[in-house]
Amino acid sequence: MATITGPLSGDARNTVAEALQGALVDLIDLSLVAKQAHWNLVGAHFRPIHRQLDKVTELARKHMDILAERSVALGINPDGRSATVARNTKLPQPDGGWLEDGKVVATVTETLDGISKRMYERIRLTDEPDPVTQDLLIAVAREVDKQHWMFQAQR
């Protein structure tokens, strides 16, 4: 069986692995939460929020793939299994059934705020051990912050 190795070892590898795995879980669950809200959204502002939730899903899916592939390039196994995501997510989960547009805006705003804060911590932690990973996390933070602002403006 072939193995993948990377340039990092020891504490640097562990720090980067933890940052990438945490970001991966955040992004996988963000895509799921955004789609759940997208499918069950109701209210006077349905159409623009419905479309904006698709943008959130797109950004999550794009960046989760980039981060998972970065993990593999470093010889770290990414874990995107549903059980892993369910066990480790820090995202608030939407209620079942129809979701009123104002509540969706509030929940997504809170969700993006939490992800943003965790991304900034990961950016800080990966500064020294792996600036390449840090750069990828900065790109995620930039897009998460933009969506956070856009949802926040609707409150």
Side-chain angles (χ1 to χ4, degrees), residues 20 63 66-67 70 123 131-141:
L20 285 167
H63 288 287
I66 291 168
L67 295 181
R70 177 67 183 157
I123 289 165
V132 176
T133 294
Q134 183 190 47
D135 186 52
L136 298 176
L137 295 169
I138 289 169
V140 175

Side-chain angles (χ1 to χ4, degrees), residues 47-107:
R47 186 146 177 83
I49 296 169
H50 184 78
R51 290 179 140 182
Q52 192 172 358
L53 288 164
D54 270 340
K55 298 289 185 196
V56 171
T57 302
E58 288 171 23
L59 93 77
R61 288 178 178 168
K62 173 181 133 184
H63 288 287
M64 71 176 147
D65 193 51
I66 291 168
L67 295 181
E69 288 176 352
R70 177 67 183 157
S71 292
V72 174
L74 295 173
I76 300 164
N77 295 112
D79 189 349
R81 296 174 297 169
S82 58
T84 301
V85 174
R87 186 175 52 252
N88 295 303
T89 190
K90 295 185 177 9
L91 276 59
Q93 300 299 301
D95 294 331
W98 304 119
L99 301 170
E100 187 270 323
D101 55 5
K103 188 170 183 177
V104 167
V105 168
T107 299

